[in-house]
């Protein structure tokens, strides 16, 4: 996969040992249809097709996103009311480590029916301000819990056992020549609860390690831009 180098974003992550890892994002990728059970993924693709969302040509999918959209922010501006987040984890490749952090992929659902890749480039990928070294949690990755709330109501809950592993994506990045400092990859998401309202004004996502009780989180408000003039 070739990537286009565009404006980059500098991020900083607090690590459990008290140090800070800094990275300038040069490549941002969003995994999609990345459930551990590809039979379940196929069923999900069929459900989305009924809603008008184009089916991917291959699963799991990988969508390049403009690097400046990797943000540690508390506010996400949007143009209309049909946008929503997704609970995810993210890999961050630094000069010395591969980090794991929490993320929320904010997506334009109205644009999604015209192209998933387009919708991913319409809003930021919000990342947490703390991270773990992947090597420190790799042996218990499947037990790590992933939860999201929209306007204070739980909208997603599961474990990383539901998603393709970070190690899977590390190998994919290596094969693509992208396992290099500055690469950030978001995991894809877990199912939303039935009957929830995803078009919320506030989002919060947590990664929790039951072995230590440590929690990584990100949260933000969704703010509507003024109406266009002209």
């Amino acid at each position: 996969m070739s990537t286009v180098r565009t404006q980059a974003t500098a991020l900083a992550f607090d690590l459990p040992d008290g140090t800070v890892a800094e990275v300038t994002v040069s490549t941002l990728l969003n995994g999609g249809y990345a459930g551990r059970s590809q039979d379940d993924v196929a069923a999900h693709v069929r459900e989305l097709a009924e809603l008008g969302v184009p089916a991917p040509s291959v699963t799991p999918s990988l969508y390049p996103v403009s690097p400046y959209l990797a943000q540690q922010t508390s506010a996400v501006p949007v143009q209309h009311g049909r946008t929503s987040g997704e609970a995810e984890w993210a890999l961050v490749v630094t000069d010395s480590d591969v980090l794991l952090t929490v993320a929320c992929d904010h997506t334009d659902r109205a644009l999604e029916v015209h192209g998933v890749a387009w919708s991913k480039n319409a809003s930021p990928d919000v990342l947490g301000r703390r991270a773990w070294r992947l090597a420190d949690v790799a042996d218990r990755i499947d037990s790590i819990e992933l939860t999201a709330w929209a306007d204070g109501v739980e909208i997603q809950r599961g474990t990383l056992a539901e998603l393709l592993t970070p190690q899977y994506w590390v190998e994919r990045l290596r094969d693509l020549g992208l396992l290099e400092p500055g690469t950030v990859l978001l995991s894809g998401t877990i199912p939303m609860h039935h009957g929830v309202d995803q078009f919320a004004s506030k989002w919060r996502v947590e990664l929790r390690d039951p072995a230590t009780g440590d929690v990584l989180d990100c949260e933000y408000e969704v703010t509507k831009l003024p109406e266009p003039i002209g």
Side-chain angles (χ1 to χ4, degrees):
M1 172 181 287
S2 61
T3 59
V4 177
R5 302 295 181 177
T6 60
Q7 180 182 351
T9 301
L11 304 176
F13 299 93
D14 294 326
L15 300 178
D17 62 6
T19 62
V20 177
E22 298 181 347
V23 63
T24 298
V25 182
S26 56
T27 301
L28 177 59
L29 301 164
N30 282 187
Y33 307 100
R36 191 84 60 93
S37 167
Q38 286 294 293
D39 288 340
D40 291 345
V41 168
H44 181 52
V45 169
R46 291 192 294 271
E47 291 172 355
L48 290 176
E50 293 175 359
L51 300 175
V53 178
S57 59
V58 64
T59 62
S61 304
L62 198 56
Y63 302 104
V65 179
S66 299
Y68 65 83
L69 290 174
Q71 297 182 17
Q72 292 168 315
T73 183
S74 59
V76 170
V78 299
Q79 292 184 313
H80 56 81
R82 292 189 62 81
T83 72
S84 64
E86 293 180 347
E88 308 201 7
W89 54 258
L91 290 179
V92 180
V93 186
T94 73
D95 289 329
S96 57
D97 281 300
V98 177
L99 307 180
L100 182 74
T101 192
V102 65
C104 195
D105 168 17
H106 204 79
T107 301
D108 187 318
R109 303 301 179 186
L111 189 57
E112 191 173 38
V113 298
H114 301 288
V116 174
W118 294 353
S119 70
K120 299 298 183 185
N121 277 276
S123 294
D125 285 337
V126 181
L127 287 86
R129 298 180 184 274
R130 296 182 60 242
W132 302 314
R133 291 182 175 88
L134 179 59
D136 292 342
V137 296
D139 63 345
R140 57 182 185 274
I141 201 74
D142 282 0
S143 68
I144 292 176
E145 300 164 355
L146 179 62
T147 311
W149 295 264
D151 285 340
V153 177
E154 185 182 287
I155 193 168
Q156 294 172 281
R157 177 179 290 274
T159 68
L160 299 202
E162 297 179 49
L163 295 168
L164 293 172
T165 66
Q167 191 57 42
Y168 168 86
W169 288 113
V170 166
E171 296 304 321
R172 281 295 303 274
L173 291 176
R174 181 177 287 113
D175 292 343
L176 295 168
L178 295 175
L179 190 65
E180 57 184 20
T183 292
V184 174
L185 180 143
L186 272 69
S187 63
T189 194
I190 59 177
M192 288 187 181
H193 300 329
H194 291 295
V196 295
D197 181 7
Q198 63 180 301
F199 303 120
S201 61
K202 293 182 180 180
W203 278 83
R204 178 181 175 85
V205 181
E206 288 185 355
L207 276 182
R208 180 179 180 275
D209 181 359
T212 64
D214 196 14
V215 173
L216 307 181
D217 71 311
C218 65
E219 58 183 321
Y220 59 89
E221 295 190 5
V222 179
T223 59
K224 192 171 183 299
L225 292 165
E227 294 296 324
I229 300 173

